[in-house]
Amino acid sequence: MNFSRAVVEIYSILYDYFGPQHWWPAESPFETIIGAILTQAVSWRNVEKAIDNLREANLLKPSAIKKIQQDRLADLIKPAGYYNMKAKKLKSFVDFLYNNYAGHLNKMFKVDLPVLRKELLDVYGVGPETADSILLYAGKYPIFVIDAYTKRILSRIGYIPDDIVYHDLQAKIMSVYPADVVKYNEYHALLVILAKEYCKKSAPDCKNCPIMEK
DNA sequence: ATCCGGCGAA
DNA sequence: TTCGCGGGAT
């Protein structure tokens, strides 16, 4: 089976097996962006604790993050790990938002996809995956999010080399489903749950994996 | 190639 | 006690 037919087949199996995931788990686009930054190399479980702290402190809005002291912000997001770095990252995103869009996400999300993507990549702490998560899950732009799980799963099955770079894999998958926000949304989320439950880094449960041939 | 870091599972 | 976690900067 070629790459694109495999991609279609895997989606179908995962969707039937796990059901729709309704990502992103957040109450607002800004909360989605906070989560996208906080979840870098950290389990979502820990991010939830950090976001709960921010919610209790009434900090889940750009104006509040803009005002709070960086050290105090770091203290609140400690459960998400790398808290000094991430406090700086949250601050730099909000600075970017105010400097360019008067602090309004709805203005930012009027910018064309390729232009906004480049702008986001220039923000400290926003790399390809975080930028694409923001674009897809907060902005509803049609861009496919690649992460370590995506590479792990597809390389283990043998459809891609394990050292494939971000953009190449993204382009390959996006050529299968051109500009499909719903598909991109669900597919990435389904790969994440598959990796968490079966395609684990150590001791993967390949025998029970829904996408393995039997 | 290293650093950033708390947290829960193995 | 170690391992791995919905990466990115240096």
Side-chain angles (χ1 to χ4, degrees), chain A residues 153-186:
Chain A
I153 292 165
L154 295 179
S155 67
R156 275 181 177 166
I157 305 176
Y159 282 102
I160 58 167
D162 57 356
D163 60 343
I164 189 170
V165 296
Y166 190 99
H167 180 265
D168 290 347
L169 181 53
Q170 182 177 54
K172 277 173 79 73
I173 296 180
M174 287 181 66
S175 69
V176 178
Y177 300 115
D180 191 330
V181 176
V182 174
K183 222 78 161 190
Y184 294 171
N185 179 319
E186 285 296 335

Side-chain angles (χ1 to χ4, degrees), chain A residues 46-63:
Chain A
N46 291 358
V47 175
E48 286 181 312
K49 295 171 184 284
I51 291 185
D52 285 345
N53 290 344
L54 297 180
R55 196 188 315 282
E56 287 176 27
N58 213 1
L59 287 171
L60 291 176
K61 53 191 180 197
S63 60

